[in-house]
Amino acid sequence: MAADGPSLKGRIVIQQCLSARLQVKPPTEEVEAEYVEINRGAVIYICFLKGADMSVVEKMAKTMMNIRLSSQENSKFVSVLDLPGDVLIVPQATLGGKAKGRMMQYHSNIAKDQGLELYGAFIKSCQEILGNCPKWKEADCTLKHGTYGNLQVLRIDTNGPYSHYFEFCHLKMENSPDWEGHSCTTFQILIPSVQGKIMAADGPSLKGRIVIKQCRSAGVQIRPTEEVEAKYVEINEGVIIYVCFLKGADMTVVEKIAKTMMNVRLSSQENSKFVSVLDLPGDVLIVPQSTLGGKAKGRMMQYHLNIAKEQGVELYHALIKSCQEILGNCPRWEEADCTLRHGTYGYLQEVLRIDTNSPLSHYFEF
């Protein structure tokens, strides 16, 4: 059956954590803010797009609870059910963004009332799957979630976020009367997308993936050896950029990533105006994250499309240099005494702590 093209209905970024804390009720003059907390497990950032329905919700829940993304000390990967671990679900409408020039547009996002309904259904579906797992229940694990529509004030500690990105779509098949109930999880398979725009199957091939979040502070380990004491770099208010290069990536991709990440308006100010990290001005932390190149096969992830390590190292350092040049040529950024820090390519990215008054997660493909 020929495909009429997948229609994107939802996006998820999932990261493993050692602990996480999320504000679910902002403070008032009379009452302090309320928070939920989890221990070791997974943080799921979720966004619903126009046309999403219960079939997509069920597919999302089943995939997130069963896919093997959590690492163990023996380097074996297991699901959050088998870990077993806690789960924190964070609504993240910004994942539906699409770049237009330096601005982000969210025209593909689902209406707020529909998103709230699907968000509640997703939580319920995850709870049912987890509740039916004896191992998870016996471990006294928990599921917590953020408040839909609120600012997601978040703190997360991790021994390596192992960030993974998922897309969920309806795939219309000719001569298939029940195509609307068929959800498929897409990565760079089927039809690639660039900056959130669905392209034809013979369109541009995917060369890089970025997840960018704003933060109040963050730190990453850069010297993870047993012989020498661990060393860390830290930043204050600014952005964290998780980067992954795929096969075929070259310097033109690096330059495009650097120019986009430094200039696109993603950082929020108190007046609700969005500005670039140059105009904020803010610090920058670049974190290599090869897991963003993952592609699901059953319950496992495969990374066959990732670039070779030696090429990745070269492009990673070129990206850092390119970002430094753009930032260094901005008088406002220089005068604010801001800084750029980065993780070590090829090592476990043990992010000490990320504190944010709302991560405003965005996803980009190049």
Side-chain angles (χ1 to χ4, degrees):
M1 293 184 291
D4 193 25
S7 176
L8 193 59
K9 304 304 181 188
R11 284 177 165 165
I12 282 180
V13 170
I14 182 170
Q15 296 181 317
Q16 71 170 9
C17 73
L18 293 175
S19 65
R21 183 174 186 254
L22 177 68
Q23 181 178 287
V24 294
K25 196 172 184 180
T28 65
E29 293 182 359
E30 297 80 21
V31 183
E32 293 184 355
E34 292 182 18
Y35 296 86
V36 293
E37 298 185 24
I38 66 166
N39 294 312
R40 187 182 182 191
V43 180
I44 300 171
Y45 303 90
I46 186 168
C47 173
F48 295 104
L49 305 179
K50 289 178 180 176
D53 56 21
M54 285 304 300
S55 64
V56 174
V57 167
E58 292 166 3
K59 180 65 175 178
M60 284 177 160
K62 183 178 179 181
T63 302
M64 292 302 100
M65 297 301 99
N66 287 283
I67 194 86
R68 294 173 181 168
L69 302 177
S70 299
S71 65
Q72 294 182 310
E73 292 182 0
N74 60 4
S75 299
K76 181 181 178 182
F77 285 84
V78 297
S79 70
V80 72
L81 288 169
D82 295 328
L83 188 58
D86 293 346
V87 176
L88 176 63
I89 302 172
V90 183
Q92 199 77 167
T94 50
L95 281 174
K98 171 186 173 184
K100 186 174 182 180
R102 295 181 64 199
M103 303 297 293
M104 296 298 294
Q105 295 182 339
Y106 305 94
H107 302 319
S108 296
N109 281 26
I110 200 166
K112 186 174 180 180
D113 55 339
Q114 294 174 293
L116 177 59
E117 180 182 356
L118 294 179
Y119 180 66
F122 176 73
I123 294 167
K124 183 179 179 181
S125 187
C126 291
Q127 286 172 329
E128 290 176 352
I129 295 170
L130 294 166
N132 288 326
C133 175
K135 185 176 181 179
W136 192 85
K137 289 183 70 177
E138 290 169 5
D140 198 28
C141 294
T142 186
L143 180 149
K144 302 294 184 183
H145 59 85
T147 304
Y148 197 90
N150 281 10
L151 281 177
Q152 307 301 320
V153 180
L154 176 68
R155 185 188 72 197
I156 180 172
D157 290 280
T158 173
N159 62 344
Y162 291 103
S163 308
H164 288 82
Y165 170 76
F166 296 81
E167 289 182 346
F168 297 83
C169 70
H170 282 320
L171 182 62
K172 184 173 182 178
M173 309 297 288
E174 291 181 2
N175 304 318
S176 177
D178 59 345
W179 72 271
E180 289 186 327
H182 176 70
S183 295
C184 60
T185 309
T186 63
F187 303 86
Q188 58 273 29
I189 56 175
L190 295 181
I191 296 180
S193 58
V194 176
Q195 299 287 33
K197 182 177 180 181
I198 301 298
M199 309 296 292
D202 59 352
S205 58
L206 192 58
K207 305 301 182 188
R209 280 180 161 168
I210 294 281
V211 170
I212 183 169
K213 300 172 182 281
Q214 74 170 10
C215 70
R216 289 183 298 198
S217 64
V220 65
Q221 181 176 290
I222 60 171
R223 187 185 288 169
T225 66
E226 295 180 0
E227 295 79 16
V228 182
E229 185 177 350
K231 184 179 179 181
Y232 300 88
V233 294
E234 297 181 348
I235 65 167
N236 294 312
E237 183 180 10
V239 296
I240 306 167
I241 300 171
Y242 299 95
V243 61
C244 174
F245 294 107
L246 304 179
K247 289 178 180 177
D250 54 22
M251 285 303 300
T252 60
V253 174
V254 167
E255 291 166 5
K256 179 67 174 176
I257 290 175
K259 184 178 179 181
T260 302
M261 293 301 99
M262 297 302 99
N263 287 282
V264 72
R265 294 172 181 167
L266 303 176
S267 299
S268 65
Q269 295 180 309
E270 290 182 2
N271 60 4
S272 299
K273 181 180 178 181
F274 285 83
V275 297
S276 70
V277 71
L278 289 168
D279 295 328
L280 186 60
D283 293 347
V284 176
L285 176 62
I286 302 176
V287 181
Q289 199 77 166
S290 61
T291 50
L292 282 174
K295 168 184 170 183
K297 185 174 182 180
R299 296 179 63 198
M300 303 297 294
M301 297 297 294
Q302 296 182 339
Y303 304 94
H304 301 320
L305 296 182
N306 281 22
I307 200 166
K309 183 176 179 179
E310 62 275 11
Q311 293 174 294
V313 171
E314 180 182 354
L315 295 179
Y316 180 66
H317 287 292
L319 174 65
I320 293 166
K321 182 179 179 181
S322 186
C323 289
Q324 286 172 328
E325 290 175 353
I326 294 171
L327 293 166
N329 288 326
C330 176
R332 183 174 181 181
W333 192 86
E334 284 272 275
E335 291 168 6
D337 198 27
C338 294
T339 187
L340 180 150
R341 302 294 188 210
H342 58 86
T344 306
Y345 196 94
Y347 286 97
L348 181 68
Q349 303 305 314
E350 186 171 344
V351 179
L352 279 178
R353 173 169 293 176
I354 300 170
D355 278 295
T356 174
N357 57 354
S358 187
L360 299 179
S361 307
H362 287 82
Y363 170 75
F364 294 81
E365 291 183 345
F366 298 84

